[in-house]
């Protein structure tokens, strides 16, 4: 509907500004071709029509602009439009793309602001139209043209070639006796080769049987042929909907002598029909959704209340559990220190196991509290220098690094727009895992690097540790997921879950790859919008 309206308004503007009918059609067709591409490949294109220039030279100007560059996908349409208008310029701007089309005005009058405002008022008050009405007007226009060009074959050829329609004439045997240049350009077949058999390769297989019956009946009965069929376009190989009309023409003796016809691209019209049907289906769905809206809102209120209560419970539970754990740890340590001589080896081992259990419980509660806070928290982003962040983390692990004699290979890292504390927690967890899951008797070697694509930065944290089986690459990010026993490697199984949530809060993605016994690698993708140059 937008495409049809654009065509109609351009035609009217051309009429108001004094262009001939042929020039009107050429300009409107050129603009419609670009508009069709903008509708198909753009995101929110707009068309503006106006008058520009100096006091002595005025131009009719059409500007189609969009936030994305759709011109790469419509080069054929641009070339076609340039053949019709000529003065077309593609301008790329920081906000997107503009396609400017200009045509010199021959109108001798004066274009005052009041006159231009009257044009705008006309379009504001014009009645609504339908796609069918637009096609009907084109058919009437073509009939008028056909009557005017009978007397001159040269004029006929010039005129038909200037129209953006495929026009032809047939003899009584159905053979093509004349065609304008658009038929060969669209079909990619010389007119002499368009025989009755050739149409089977031109018309869509699903439409051919109906098309063949209609043509046969029209030729036998000398009745008009009218129908909508899909024709194969040479350039793209796509089938495009066309309205095909062929009218029998008689001589002065009322004898049938030939057929004259034309094929009009109605792909936009068919698309409008399909969109209308889809909108009706959508309306039914919307009505059903509206019926459930109240129930949904009630459930949302209940869910919000439940989430709030769960947040309060998690906060209180984690804090209330800390106090008895501290007492258990204190009394266990006091027993071990004050009554060390009164315990045998078995008793001391029990105290040790109790202390370790308390430490694991405290670590688990702390990790749970951190994970819970991530789901509740809305992060405020600020510039964060990851070079400084990683160096601070290495200082925190200085003792472990010295004990394991770990080696680090860290490349230059960018300035990231994010939450400093959470990004530090992210890289701290990954470095901690790399140190923790290192191989015995092998010096840990940890690499941290970054690469850049058009839309994102990709950070890589890779080690030469024990690795893991490939089937666990998604599972390891789950809550409480562990691939080893606590006797082998300590931990709660929450660290990577926290990493995953932090990356998601920064609108990114984290993934893992590994080879058992060779290495583990964690890849963090952050969109360019989250990075400060």
């Amino acid at each position: 509907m937008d495409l049809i309206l654009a065509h109609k308004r351009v035609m009217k503007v051309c009429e108001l500004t004094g262009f001939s009918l042929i020039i009107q059609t050429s300009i409107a067709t050129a603009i419609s071709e670009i508009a069709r591409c903008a509708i198909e490949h753009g995101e929110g294109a707009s068309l503006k029509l106006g008058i520009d220039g100096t006091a002595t030279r005025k131009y009719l100007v059409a500007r189609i602009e969009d936030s994305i560059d759709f011109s790469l996908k419509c080069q054929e349409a641009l070339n076609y439009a340039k053949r019709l208008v000529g003065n077309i310029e593609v301008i790329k701007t920081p906000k997107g793309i503009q396609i400017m089309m200009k045509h010199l005005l021959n109108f001798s009058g004066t274009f005052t602001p009041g006159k231009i405002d009257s044009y705008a008022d006309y379009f504001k008050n014009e009645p609504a139209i339908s796609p069918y009405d637009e096609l009907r007007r084109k058919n009437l226009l073509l009939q008028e043209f056909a009557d005017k060009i009978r007397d001159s074959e040269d004029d006929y050829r010039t005129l038909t070639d200037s129209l953006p329609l495929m026009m032809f004439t047939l003899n009584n045997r159905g053979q093509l006796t004349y065609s304008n240049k658009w038929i060969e350009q669209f079909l990619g077949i010389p007119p002499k080769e368009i025989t009755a058999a050739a149409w089977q390769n031109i018309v869509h297989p699903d439409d051919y049987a109906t098309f063949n019956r209609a043509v046969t009946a029209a030729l036998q009965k000398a009745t008009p042929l009218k129908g909508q069929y899909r024709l194969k376009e040479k350039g793209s190989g796509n089938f495009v909907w066309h309205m095909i009309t062929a009218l029998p023409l008689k001589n002065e003796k009322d004898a049938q002598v030939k057929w004259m016809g034309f094929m009009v691209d109605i792909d936009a019209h068919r698309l409008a029909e399909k969109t209308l049907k889809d909108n009706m289906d959508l309306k039914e769905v919307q009505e059903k959704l509206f019926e459930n809206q109240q129930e949904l809102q009630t459930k949302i209120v209940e869910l919000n209340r439940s989430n709030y209560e769960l947040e309060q419970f998690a906060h209180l539970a984690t804090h209330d559990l800390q106090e008895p754990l501290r007492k258990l740890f204190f009394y266990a340590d006091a027993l071990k220190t004050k009554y060390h001589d009164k315990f045998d080896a078995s008793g001391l081992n029990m105290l040790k196991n109790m202390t370790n259990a308390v430490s694991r419980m405290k670590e688990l509660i702390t990790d749970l509290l951190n994970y819970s806070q991530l789901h509740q928290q809305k992060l405020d982003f600020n510039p964060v220098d990851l070079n400084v962040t990683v160096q601070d983390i290495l200082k925190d692990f200085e003792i472990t690094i010295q004990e394991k004699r770990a080696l680090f290979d860290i490349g230059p890292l960018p300035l990231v727009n994010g939450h400093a504390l959470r990004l530090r927690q992210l890289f701290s967890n990954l470095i901690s895992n790399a140190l923790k899951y290192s191989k015995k008797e092998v010096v840990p070697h940890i690499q941290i690097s970054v690469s850049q694509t058009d839309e994102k930065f990709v950070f890589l944290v890779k080690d030469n540790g024990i690795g893991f089986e490939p089937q666990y690459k998604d599972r390891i990010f789950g809550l409480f997921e562990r691939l080893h026993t606590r006797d082998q490697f300590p931990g709660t199984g929450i660290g990577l879950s926290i990493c995953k949530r932090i990356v998601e809060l920064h609108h990114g993605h984290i993934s893992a790859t590994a080879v058992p016994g060779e290495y583990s690698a964690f890849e963090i993708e952050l969109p360019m919008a989250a990075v400060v140059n």
Side-chain angles (χ1 to χ4, degrees):
M1 293 303 296
D2 286 343
L3 185 59
I4 294 170
L5 183 59
H7 187 276
K8 177 179 180 295
R9 289 191 168 182
V10 173
M11 289 287 290
K12 188 61 181 179
V13 168
C14 290
E15 176 188 341
L16 293 172
T17 50
F19 285 113
S20 68
L21 190 58
I22 293 178
I23 301 299
Q24 290 178 32
T25 305
S26 297
I27 294 173
T29 302
I31 295 173
S32 295
E33 278 296 297
I34 308 301
R36 177 173 59 80
C37 287
I39 292 171
E40 182 177 357
H41 302 294
E43 288 186 350
S46 64
L47 166 64
K48 293 185 179 180
L49 302 173
I51 298 170
D52 195 10
T54 64
T56 57
R57 293 176 67 86
K58 296 288 186 181
Y59 293 89
L60 174 65
V61 180
R63 182 178 69 195
I64 295 177
E65 57 186 348
D66 203 334
S67 58
I68 64 173
D69 186 358
F70 62 83
S71 65
L72 299 176
K73 298 183 179 179
C74 61
Q75 193 60 47
E76 185 176 351
L78 279 170
N79 293 337
Y80 177 37
K82 287 178 180 179
R83 290 198 297 271
L84 295 174
V85 175
N87 192 350
I88 295 180
E89 184 180 4
V90 180
I91 305 170
K92 295 181 180 180
T93 70
K95 295 183 179 180
I97 186 172
Q98 293 182 355
I99 297 181
M100 301 285 290
M101 289 169 274
K102 291 184 178 182
H103 202 290
L104 184 65
L105 293 172
N106 294 323
F107 183 64
S108 59
T110 302
F111 288 102
T112 63
K115 181 174 290 186
I116 297 176
D117 289 342
S118 70
Y119 295 165
D121 291 338
Y122 170 82
F123 291 119
K124 291 178 182 178
N125 300 319
E126 69 174 339
I129 62 170
S130 67
Y132 175 78
D133 184 52
E134 181 68 14
L135 292 175
R136 182 183 62 82
R137 295 182 184 183
K138 285 185 179 180
N139 287 341
L140 292 174
L141 180 61
L142 288 172
Q143 292 295 339
E144 180 182 351
F145 280 145
D147 292 338
K148 291 180 179 180
I149 61 178
R150 291 172 191 259
D151 298 332
S152 174
E153 181 64 27
D154 291 338
D155 291 344
Y156 184 79
R157 168 69 66 178
T158 302
L159 184 58
T160 57
D161 283 348
S162 69
L163 292 172
L165 304 171
M166 292 185 282
M167 301 186 67
F168 58 89
T169 58
L170 302 171
N171 60 24
N172 288 330
R173 296 187 301 277
Q175 296 174 330
L176 209 66
T177 58
Y178 170 83
S179 65
N180 65 354
K181 64 179 181 180
W182 305 117
I183 287 185
E184 184 173 353
Q185 288 187 7
F186 183 87
L187 300 179
I189 303 174
K192 293 181 180 179
E193 298 180 13
I194 304 177
T195 62
W199 285 103
Q200 190 166 0
N201 297 322
I202 296 172
V203 180
H204 193 283
D206 295 343
D207 300 340
Y208 180 73
T210 304
F211 170 79
N212 190 45
R213 286 195 299 270
V215 171
T216 302
L219 290 174
Q220 290 175 350
K221 300 177 182 179
T223 55
L225 168 67
K226 292 183 180 180
Q228 298 180 10
Y229 308 99
R230 286 166 286 184
L231 306 181
K232 190 174 184 179
E233 185 181 16
K234 169 194 173 183
S236 65
N238 296 329
F239 286 93
V240 181
W241 280 103
H242 282 76
M243 175 180 287
I244 300 179
T245 302
L247 304 174
L249 298 180
K250 299 180 181 181
N251 59 17
E252 63 277 3
K253 297 180 181 180
D254 201 32
Q256 171 69 36
V257 291
K258 63 180 178 178
W259 298 72
M260 190 185 96
F262 48 86
M263 294 182 283
V264 184
D265 185 341
I266 60 167
D267 218 50
H269 169 64
R270 295 293 296 232
L271 179 61
E273 288 182 340
K274 184 178 183 301
T275 302
L276 181 60
K277 182 181 181 300
D278 291 344
N279 285 343
M280 293 178 66
D281 294 340
L282 179 60
K283 185 177 180 181
E284 293 180 3
V285 174
Q286 287 175 332
E287 289 175 354
K288 185 175 291 186
L289 288 174
F290 181 76
E291 293 174 359
N292 299 326
Q293 184 177 10
Q294 190 63 40
E295 182 181 352
L296 178 62
Q297 289 179 345
T298 302
K299 290 185 180 294
I300 290 173
V301 172
E302 294 175 354
L303 180 62
N304 288 336
R305 183 172 62 251
S306 176
N307 286 339
Y308 176 76
E309 292 172 352
L310 287 173
E311 290 171 5
Q312 294 301 310
F313 174 78
H315 184 76
L316 291 174
T318 50
H319 282 77
D320 290 348
L321 286 174
Q322 294 279 4
E323 183 59 28
L325 286 177
R326 282 193 290 270
K327 289 183 178 179
L328 281 173
F329 191 84
F330 172 76
Y331 288 130
D333 187 64
L335 285 171
K336 183 178 178 181
T337 302
K338 189 173 182 179
Y339 301 102
H340 181 273
D341 296 338
K342 296 183 180 181
F343 285 100
D344 57 12
S346 176
L348 290 173
N349 189 52
M350 290 181 183
L351 283 174
K352 179 182 177 182
N353 291 339
M354 183 174 70
T355 303
N356 290 339
V358 171
S359 297
R360 287 197 301 271
M361 187 65 180
K362 186 176 185 302
E363 182 182 4
L364 178 61
I365 290 171
T366 300
D367 285 350
L368 279 173
L369 181 59
N370 289 334
Y371 188 78
S372 174
Q373 288 174 342
L374 281 175
H375 281 266
Q376 302 170 26
Q377 193 174 40
K378 182 178 180 182
L379 302 184
D380 294 326
F381 286 5
N382 293 291
V384 179
D385 189 342
L386 290 182
N387 296 289
V388 176
T389 299
V390 172
Q391 291 303 319
D392 288 345
I393 294 171
L394 295 184
K395 292 178 182 178
D396 294 341
F397 289 103
E398 185 175 1
I399 295 176
T400 305
I401 292 172
Q402 291 177 356
E403 289 175 351
K404 291 179 175 279
R405 294 181 297 171
L407 300 177
F408 282 82
D409 183 6
I410 303 173
L413 301 176
L415 191 68
V416 176
N417 191 31
H419 191 277
L421 178 61
R422 294 309 177 191
L423 288 174
R424 181 188 178 105
Q425 189 176 14
L426 166 66
F427 282 95
S428 178
N429 285 357
L430 294 177
I431 293 173
S432 175
N433 277 3
L435 293 170
K436 182 193 301 183
Y437 296 107
S438 59
K439 292 178 287 190
K440 293 182 179 179
E441 308 302 329
V442 176
V443 174
H445 186 193
I446 301 167
Q447 298 172 285
I448 302 176
S449 60
V450 62
S451 59
Q452 180 180 352
T453 67
D454 292 338
E455 299 179 354
K456 61 191 174 185
F457 274 68
V458 181
F459 298 89
L460 182 67
V461 180
K462 185 177 181 180
D463 60 57
N464 63 340
I466 63 172
F468 57 84
E469 294 291 343
Q471 63 263 33
Y472 298 127
K473 63 185 180 69
D474 296 322
R475 175 181 163 186
I476 60 175
F477 292 105
L479 199 61
F480 301 116
E481 289 291 348
R482 295 176 52 86
L483 303 183
H484 309 87
T485 65
R486 290 188 176 87
D487 294 336
Q488 294 175 300
F489 297 97
T492 62
I494 301 178
L496 289 179
S497 299
I498 292 175
C499 290
K500 183 174 184 291
R501 181 57 181 161
I502 291 173
V503 173
E504 289 173 348
L505 289 172
H506 285 77
H507 313 295
H509 175 73
I510 186 171
S511 60
T513 56
V515 174
E518 293 188 19
Y519 74 88
S520 297
F522 291 86
E523 196 173 79
I524 304 161
E525 298 178 1
L526 291 180
M528 291 293 293
V531 178
V532 178
N533 294 325

